[in-house]
Amino acid sequence: MRNLWLLSSILLFNLASCFAQEENKSPLTIKEIMQGDDFVGQLPSSPQWSLDGETLYFKWNPEKAFSDSLYGYNLKQSRIEKTDFETEYALPSARGVFNKDNTLKLYSKGGDIFIVNLSTNAITQITDTEAYEGNPHFTDHGSKVAYIKDTNIYTWDIAKGTTAQLTKFKAKDTEKKKSTKDEWLYNDQLALFDVLRSRKAKKDEAEKLNKRYEAKAPLSIDPEGKSISNLKISPDGKYITYLTIKRPKESKGTIVPHFVTESGYTEDQNTRSKVGDVPSEYEMFVYDIANRKVYPVVLDNLKGLDYVPEYTKEYPDKPYENKNRIGYISGPVWSQDGKHGVLDINTNDYKDRWIVLLNASDGTVKNLDHQHDEAWIAGPGIGGYGGGELGWLPDNKTIYFQSEKTGYSHLYVMDITSKKAKALTSGNFEIYNPEISKDGTRWYFTANKNHPGDRQFYTMPIGGGKFTQLTQMTGNNEVLLSPDERNMAILYSYSNKPTELYLQPNPIGNDTRESAKQLTFSTTEEFKAYDWRDPEVITFKAQDGANVHARLYRPKAEVKNNAAVIFVHGAGYLQNAHKWWSSYFREFMFHNLLVDNGYTVLDIDYRGSAGYGRDWRTGIYRHMGGKDLSDHVDGAQYLVNNLGIDQEKVGIYGGSYGGFITLMGMFTAPDTFKAGAAIRSVGDWAAYNHGYTARILNTPATDSLAFKRSSPIYFADGLKGDLLILHGMVDDNVHFQDMVRLSQRLIELEKHNWEMALYPVERHGFVEPSSWTDEYTRIYKLFQQSLLKD
């Protein structure tokens, strides 16, 4: 009896200890911080200047309405007011194109086309239809407006107000061909009956007469069942370029079932296919309008078109075949005088980029710049579906573009005649969003020149030279210049200060330098009541000697529990060890709560992250879960060696790519991480999409070694610590099926130290505060129980 009483006392003590460990000592609660914007505040976004530059419009929601509304700050009155619907409806789009002398602006809005006279600000609506019209641009030396409607190109004459259709692409032929039997019967009928022969002869003659009218109509172009994209007309109105896309017939998608539905029935959603699709075939054509002929753009002379990737050497017995490497073709981007057009071409294996000069009269091209990467072409202003930064200087003979030739993405110019490239910027930093001033004398751009985690707005002469820093606040400065470039609208944030809208006179063109003025104050009283930490941005040494940047959150000595949590940001190519308000703001607040409870938190910009140049970006090529994971292992060792963290008290968590690293850490570095929470994780890269995965790992059929060493499901036997898996069941990005497969693997391996939490109505990015709250309550409980237990 005494022993039973003692056992009961021990159990009660352990339960009390367990509950005490799970108690939250922070003034913050998980429930309140997981309310998102309702707790932080509805922050401003999408700034846009009025045509006269006297009003700065932006999206905002200080009233906590159903959605953001449009507000305007009047510079003369220094006052913010909510914009009425009629004003908002009539407001021109922030995007658009200008004619050669910048007197007219052309834009699309709501599926219609508009033109603005910038001297009078008078707006003319060119189209007003239920059909969608888009991609407006000037042609015929600025006398006409071209736009796309129903996969055809139209022009509107500015002076006459007349509209003309210039192309007529045939729809896919659905008419069934006659069988051999029906063809014989048709010919036999004509042979037997005079009346049928007579009627056919009249019909044939009428068709011949009608052909006279067809010569006046747009040329009928047969795309042979292929999709049409990227329709453009040259500035002189002589040539139309377009892209045909032949998509693979076999591209099996994945079904994502929805169990919680309005109908009460399980409803299936068809989503993306998996990596390894047969690539689409792209081909560009030119339509010579005057001569009514179509011909292809010939790309046979591209340097390196026959390239065979280096990794194929590891598969000597596996033949490699990629007969047509041409991927998406962007452009042409025409010079202002309309004499020259350049194309931006990427390969379907993502390893090459060409910038070429197009001769529209015969479809030939001349090579200007060739960028190659054994891993994959990318970086700020480089690559991507729509091409990279590419344009013309005011002299109409020099192009600009970005390249990672030196290891960082920098701005280059090239004379198209000499083909000599010149770097306008250089150094161990990157350039973002370069644009030329209205007067053509200078550049404006953003750069992380001072520190990888600090982005400032700069200007320099058009020919290169000294940088002039125009913004002064440390953090992130997203600048939108006013139409006359005299003022800068700045969306600014700091590590512990959410994004607000600021206004600053442009130091260029103003006699005095003024500080930025804060226009919006968006944070709630509840958010301001807490003293949010400013995390240290530190570096530590990786195994290979590289300096790894990270955010460090330290607890006070009196509450420090010698346990640490390492957070892994998602997306792979993303930056989070920076000095501005994070897109992971819920996690930032959660880290403050953890630190209040004695944890040390480390947030690492591991190999593959953005902001650190080409070598860092491609450090995960053919081995995700390699250096990106070892950076986290090294981070854990840094905490143990320098900050007194107990080796037995290190946890890890993250979502998406962060969930993947968490799984790899728990499976392949089990002596480093004692607990892990894997959120919306990739468990097998062969199950993820093509566009992202094939850049980094190639395809499972061609590079199976890369997939096997990069996918957690192959290493699940290594699990030792406590694992929590959390996933939305209707995730149409990283499919829930991926974690179902992993759970089956863990079951077969007889692993029992793992749990799974499911969220029936959540996709990849959670929406419901209740889901966020449940998710992070479970994560906090995991760390409390797994890292603080004796």
Side-chain angles (χ1 to χ4, degrees), residues 195-415:
V195 65
L196 294 181
R197 287 196 303 274
S198 175
R199 289 178 179 178
K200 183 178 184 306
K202 292 178 181 178
K203 180 181 177 182
D204 291 345
E205 188 63 29
E207 288 180 355
K208 288 180 182 179
L209 294 174
N210 286 334
K211 287 187 180 297
R212 296 177 301 174
Y213 295 95
E214 289 181 8
K216 300 294 184 180
L219 178 68
S220 183
I221 302 173
D222 186 2
E224 299 177 345
K226 302 172 185 176
S227 301
I228 301 296
S229 178
N230 199 22
L231 265 166
K232 291 186 177 181
I233 187 169
S234 60
D236 59 12
K238 293 180 178 180
Y239 304 102
I240 291 173
T241 55
Y242 62 93
L243 201 62
T244 64
I245 308 173
K246 183 180 179 181
R247 306 186 190 281
K249 293 181 180 179
E250 295 182 4
S251 183
K252 186 176 182 180
T254 302
I255 294 175
V256 174
H258 293 234
F259 293 97
V260 180
T261 63
E262 293 181 8
S263 69
Y265 292 89
T266 300
E267 298 174 4
D268 290 338
Q269 176 188 354
N270 291 315
T271 63
R272 61 164 176 82
S273 60
K274 304 181 190 298
V275 61
D277 290 339
V278 175
S280 297
E281 296 179 11
Y282 297 91
E283 189 172 9
M284 180 166 277
F285 290 86
V286 179
Y287 169 33
D288 183 332
I289 300 174
N291 296 306
R292 296 178 62 79
K293 62 180 181 179
V294 173
Y295 41 89
V297 174
V298 182
L299 302 175
D300 295 346
N301 63 334
L302 296 182
K303 181 182 178 181
L305 195 58
D306 57 353
Y307 166 75
V308 177
E310 284 82 351
Y311 74 85
T312 59
K313 296 174 183 177
E314 295 186 28
Y315 305 92
D317 299 326
K318 184 188 294 184
Y320 177 80
E321 187 177 27
N322 190 355
K323 294 180 180 179
N324 181 6
R325 293 182 63 228
I326 297 298
Y328 194 83
I329 306 170
S330 301
V333 179
W334 293 95
S335 57
Q336 281 282 10
D337 61 9
K339 294 180 180 179
H340 307 289
V342 287
L343 303 176
D344 191 343
I345 306 167
N346 288 272
T347 52
N348 58 25
D349 58 11
Y350 313 109
K351 300 182 188 301
D352 289 271
R353 177 197 186 193
W354 294 277
I355 298 174
V356 301
L357 188 66
L358 172 66
N359 184 342
S361 65
D362 61 8
T364 59
V365 300
K366 291 182 180 180
N367 287 278
L368 296 177
D369 184 73
H370 176 212
Q371 299 174 26
H372 172 77
D373 198 308
E374 179 183 335
W376 75 98
I377 290 285
I382 305 167
Y385 182 76
E389 290 286 351
L390 182 61
W392 292 87
L393 266 58
D395 64 6
N396 290 306
K397 64 178 182 179
T398 307
I399 62 168
Y400 69 85
F401 57 93
Q402 286 185 246
S403 170
E404 284 185 322
K405 183 178 181 179
T406 63
Y408 289 81
S409 182
H410 281 290
L411 182 61
Y412 289 76
V413 292
M414 176 186 286
D415 183 290

Side-chain angles (χ1 to χ4, degrees), residues 663 667 681-683 712-714 716 723 725 736-749 754 756:
L663 292 175
F667 295 164
S681 319
V682 175
I713 197 167
Y714 295 105
L723 173 63
I725 299 171
F736 174 52
Q737 179 195 24
D738 206 356
M739 286 301 98
V740 174
R741 293 176 64 241
L742 180 61
S743 66
Q744 179 60 30
R745 181 70 180 140
L746 292 169
I747 290 168
E748 293 179 4
L749 290 169
W754 64 279
M756 183 182 290

Side-chain angles (χ1 to χ4, degrees), residues 677-752:
I679 310 167
R680 50 189 177 276
S681 319
V682 175
D684 184 354
W685 286 107
Y688 198 50
N689 70 31
H690 185 86
Y692 180 90
T693 316
R695 283 174 163 81
I696 306 172
L697 299 180
N698 305 305
T699 67
T702 61
D703 199 0
S704 58
L705 293 175
F707 280 81
K708 286 190 175 180
R709 63 172 163 246
S710 300
S711 297
I713 197 167
Y714 295 105
F715 302 97
D717 191 37
L719 178 63
K720 290 183 181 178
D722 297 326
L723 173 63
L724 173 62
I725 299 171
L726 310 104
H727 214 102
M729 293 178 68
V730 292
D731 191 332
D732 47 13
N733 181 9
V734 180
H735 297 148
F736 174 52
Q737 179 195 24
D738 206 356
M739 286 301 98
V740 174
R741 293 176 64 241
L742 180 61
S743 66
Q744 179 60 30
R745 181 70 180 140
L746 292 169
I747 290 168
E748 293 179 4
L749 290 169
E750 298 183 5
K751 299 291 183 180
H752 305 296

